[in-house]
Amino acid sequence: MAAEPLSNGAAHQSVPGRYILPVHKRPSYSANGKVAPPMLPVVDLGGDDDGRIAEEIIRAGREFGFFQVVNHGVPEEVMGAMMRAAEEFFGLPANEKMAYYSTDGKQLPRFHTSVRNGAGEEFLYWRDCLKLGCHPPEWPDNPRGLGAALEPYTAAVMAAARRVLRLAAVGLGLGEEHFEGSLSGGAMMNVNHYPPCPDPSVTLGIAPHCDPGLVTVLMENVGGGLQMLVHDDGDAGGGGTMWVDVDAAPGALVLNFGHQMEVVSNGRLRSGEHRVVTGAHVARTSLASFVWPELWCTVAPAQELVLDAGEGPLYRPYSYGEFLGVYVAEAGDRDAVMAHFKH
Ligand code: OGA
Ligand code: NI
């Protein structure tokens, strides 16, 4: 039987048992009480000193795999229209949303909710999701304005992502066009929706994961929820990790690198591991636009980074289609996924 999406019924008064995580998976379990969490780096894409911008992207990519961009060129009204259409979808009557419900991961557009995953977990996550195609575009006819909002939003977000990818390539010492073409030829969007949760301490919206593609561009209607895993690589007792809230300035977009960036850069840039905690009071909607390779595209560490640097490649070549198959089978678990591709 289809799992009932969270946003279909009345507000929840208590957390149904199947959403209650075992203690070691709960959001507070790994908090280590560090006093001053680092700030999310801000990259201003508006300037013309591309060398400096590239350097900032590389620094943030090395340390966090996460940063926020301002002067990104996505008009405020285009962002607003896309978010309103997304919120409107989740406000539709249940039967209208269910017209798009499917558990077939290949279908687009697709409305889905948390179901027991292939990794055999017995519990569910506090999230509903509408998956949209961006390139090529695939959206539901209902609500009516969604397609009209999606096209300009996607075009502007892809332009910002391409600028970041060009700058990242330069910053890595690769040709400016390294990520262009089939390596960044696909795009889709998760429209995530997290209804208020009566007890955020026992649930998660999304389990810890890295995104599969090259880069993800995220916009949210309310702040609070997304957390990134920060590695304490410093001299003083390094090796620890902590979850840090990803707080972006109003109007900024959050970017994170995905697995493919870590592979192509041969580990120089980090794919930012993240998770989503739930909130008790407001429904949060987020738009995660994924830029990724075409399925047949071969992905491998860039030759220039391996040969010139005299390093061995950390990963073997593979097709992106193979990668996605493994990613789904391992339910996005970072180490389990990458074990398949390490040299
Ligand atoms: C995702 C994701 C984060 C968020 O869709 O992969 O991590 O804040 N979303 O909703
Ligand atoms: Ni993600």
Side-chain angles (χ1 to χ4, degrees):
M1 204 202 79
E4 187 66 9
L6 289 156
S7 60
N8 278 6
H12 293 263
Q13 300 302 315
S14 63
V15 179
R18 59 197 183 281
Y19 290 93
I20 298 178
L21 301 176
V23 172
H24 69 283
K25 302 259 185 189
R26 293 183 190 174
S28 63
Y29 183 77
S30 56
N32 67 2
K34 196 153 172 178
V35 207
M39 290 279 298
L40 183 66
V42 184
V43 174
D44 184 346
L45 288 182
D48 20 79
D49 185 354
D50 279 5
R52 178 191 54 79
I53 306 173
E55 225 169 84
E56 288 175 5
I57 290 172
I58 298 298
R59 196 177 317 131
R62 252 185 224 287
E63 191 172 356
F64 302 113
F66 261 96
F67 51 98
Q68 52 182 316
V69 293
V70 296
N71 292 317
H72 42 62
V74 187
E76 213 178 290
E77 57 285 6
V78 169
M79 292 170 69
M82 183 63 223
M83 183 55 79
R84 279 193 301 280
E87 289 172 324
E88 212 181 311
F89 177 84
F90 288 99
L92 290 174
N95 64 320
E96 294 183 29
K97 278 182 285 188
M98 292 309 274
Y100 302 98
Y101 184 88
S102 172
T103 52
D104 172 4
K106 295 199 164 62
Q107 192 171 308
L108 284 177
R110 176 166 87 99
F111 175 47
H112 65 102
T113 190
S114 179
V115 291
R116 294 208 166 114
N117 66 33
E121 290 177 343
E122 288 296 308
F123 40 84
L124 302 179
Y125 294 94
W126 197 265
R127 171 182 76 135
D128 289 346
C129 182
L130 173 69
K131 287 188 155 58
L132 305 176
C134 296
H135 190 71
E138 306 193 68
W139 65 82
D141 300 328
N142 188 13
R144 256 180 127 20
L146 203 150
L150 179 66
E151 287 190 280
Y153 179 76
T154 293
V157 161
M158 292 294 283
R162 293 226 153 83
R163 173 146 162 78
V164 167
L165 289 173
R166 277 197 303 278
L167 292 163
V170 170
L172 285 167
L174 301 171
E176 190 179 41
E177 284 156 24
H178 192 90
F179 296 108
E180 266 158 42
S182 59
L183 255 186
S184 58
M188 56 86 58
M189 189 194 292
N190 273 356
V191 182
N192 300 303
H193 183 78
Y194 310 92
C197 177
D199 187 355
S201 73
V202 299
T203 57
L204 279 177
I206 308 188
H209 69 284
C210 294
D211 293 337
L214 268 178
V215 63
T216 304
V217 181
L218 186 101
M219 172 178 131
E220 53 190 0
N221 66 340
V222 287
L226 178 59
Q227 296 184 329
M228 62 179 176
L229 189 64
V230 172
H231 295 253
D232 175 14
D233 295 331
D235 302 331
T241 57
M242 64 174 157
W243 289 102
V244 172
D245 291 331
V246 173
D247 285 324
L253 292 168
V254 174
L255 267 75
N256 66 275
F257 290 135
H259 284 295
Q260 307 317 307
M261 182 59 89
E262 189 160 322
V263 169
V264 173
S265 71
N266 207 33
R268 283 177 175 71
L269 300 182
R270 199 186 276 284
S271 60
E273 192 166 356
H274 53 286
R275 69 180 185 182
V276 177
V277 297
T278 62
H281 304 296
V282 283
R284 175 168 174 267
T285 300
S286 70
L287 313 174
S289 304
F290 304 102
V291 180
W292 63 30
E294 303 200 38
L295 295 180
W296 51 264
C297 179
T298 300
V299 182
Q303 284 291 322
E304 299 90 315
L305 299 182
V306 175
L307 296 177
D308 300 355
E311 292 173 6
L314 298 177
Y315 307 96
R316 66 171 173 86
Y318 53 83
S319 75
Y320 188 57
E322 180 193 356
F323 184 93
L324 274 187
V326 167
Y327 186 84
V328 171
E330 299 287 5
D333 180 272
R334 179 192 174 101
D335 295 337
V337 170
M338 293 322 284
H340 291 257
F341 303 102
K342 283 217 162 97
H343 242 306

